[in-house]
Amino acid sequence: QVQLEESGGGSVQAGGSLRLSCAISGYTQCLAWFRQAPGKEREEISAISTGGRTTYYADSVKGRFAISQDNAGNTLYLEMNSLKPEDTAMYYCAASRRQVRYSCAPGPTWDNTYLGQGTQVTVSS
């Protein structure tokens, strides 16, 4: 079983920064951050293979967000810079026990996803 617990969400003005953290327990091969805005589908915005060899960023966050994990692999981070009002969403830490075709990007790797309870990020203009 995989357990995930996020922290670090909050409210910030446009252009500001936030850092999300996720405490992880259990075996994983891919870790990711998903987000879901009101009225929209949940989307994977960034991912990293356990061990950090591969990363993925959605175009909407590329160059502004950075995913990382601590050396022990127990904590996942998402550094969010240059935040925009459209980044407002519930952010979820996610894990998969599989890595299909060496990829943690959106796809079959995430057919069975473990999700945390979520943390709210609100960006005001």
Side-chain angles (χ1 to χ4, degrees):
Q1 189 72 298
V2 178
Q3 292 185 318
L4 308 165
E5 184 171 358
E6 304 95 337
S7 60
S11 297
V12 65
Q13 288 193 327
S17 299
L18 281 174
R19 188 193 202 199
L20 305 183
S21 299
C22 176
I24 304 158
S25 65
Y27 173 78
T28 64
Q29 292 205 44
C30 285
L31 299 168
W33 291 95
F34 286 68
R35 70 184 181 187
Q36 187 167 19
K40 295 188 176 181
E41 291 190 357
R42 190 169 62 216
E43 61 170 337
E44 181 182 352
I45 57 169
S46 186
I48 188 168
S49 57
T50 303
R53 288 186 179 181
T54 61
T55 57
Y56 161 81
Y57 292 96
D59 288 343
S60 57
V61 305
K62 201 172 292 183
R64 300 187 299 122
F65 290 11
I67 192 169
S68 63
Q69 58 188 85
D70 67 353
N71 290 336
N74 295 330
T75 307
L76 180 70
Y77 302 100
L78 185 68
E79 189 75 38
M80 304 186 293
N81 299 308
S82 302
L83 282 161
K84 306 174 181 180
E86 50 264 44
D87 293 317
T88 295
M90 186 70 78
Y91 283 70
Y92 298 91
C93 177
S96 174
R97 290 186 162 186
R98 319 167 60 204
Q99 187 179 16
V100 179
R101 294 189 290 274
Y102 306 103
S103 175
C104 295
T109 289
W110 299 100
D111 285 351
N112 291 287
T113 303
Y114 293 88
L115 281 180
Q117 81 286 355
T119 185
Q120 178 68 37
V121 171
T122 302
V123 184
S124 58
S125 57

